[in-house]
Amino acid sequence: VLAKSTDLAVGETKGYKSGNTFFVTRSSSGLSAVDETCTHQGCAVELSGKELHCPCHGSSFMAADGKVINGPATRSLKSYVVKDVDGNIVITL
C-alpha cells in the first residue's frame, strides 16, 4: 500500500516512497506507476509537472508511462502494476 486512494486526484502525479520511490499517476482511465531510476545510468529522476527529469545527464520521461521524451536514455522507466484496492493505492512489485 502506497497511499489512500483519495490522496491522488485525476490528472495528478505524486512520488511515494516504499523502499524505492515510485511515481504514480491517476488518469481518467486508471492508475500507472513507474520507478524513480533513470535507465541511462541509474540516477533518481525528479518530478517536474507531467514529466520526470534526470538531474545527472538531462534525460526526461513522461510521468504517466515512463516513456523517453529525450535522452541520452533510450529505454522507458520500469513500470509496475498499480491498482485501487479498498480505498488504497496498491503497487505490485
Side-chain angles (χ1 to χ4, degrees):
V1 173
L2 294 177
K4 294 286 184 194
S5 296
T6 55
D7 186 50
L8 191 64
V10 172
E12 192 173 30
T13 299
K14 287 186 180 179
Y16 297 98
K17 188 137 182 89
S18 179
N20 291 343
T21 296
F22 303 94
F23 291 97
V24 180
T25 301
R26 183 183 298 277
S27 69
S28 58
S29 60
L31 296 167
S32 61
V34 296
D35 194 271
E36 73 173 334
T37 307
C38 181
T39 56
H40 176 238
Q41 289 190 345
C43 294
V45 297
E46 300 169 348
L47 182 62
S48 177
K50 304 254 184 233
E51 298 180 2
L52 299 167
H53 295 278
C54 181
C56 295
H57 300 104
S59 293
S60 58
F61 305 86
M62 290 300 300
D65 59 13
K67 290 186 180 173
V68 177
I69 298 170
N70 39 291
T74 58
R75 291 178 290 120
S76 298
L77 297 174
K78 183 174 181 176
S79 62
Y80 296 88
V81 174
V82 63
K83 295 180 181 177
D84 220 327
V85 179
D86 299 326
N88 294 304
I89 298 171
V90 178
I91 191 166
T92 302
L93 302 178

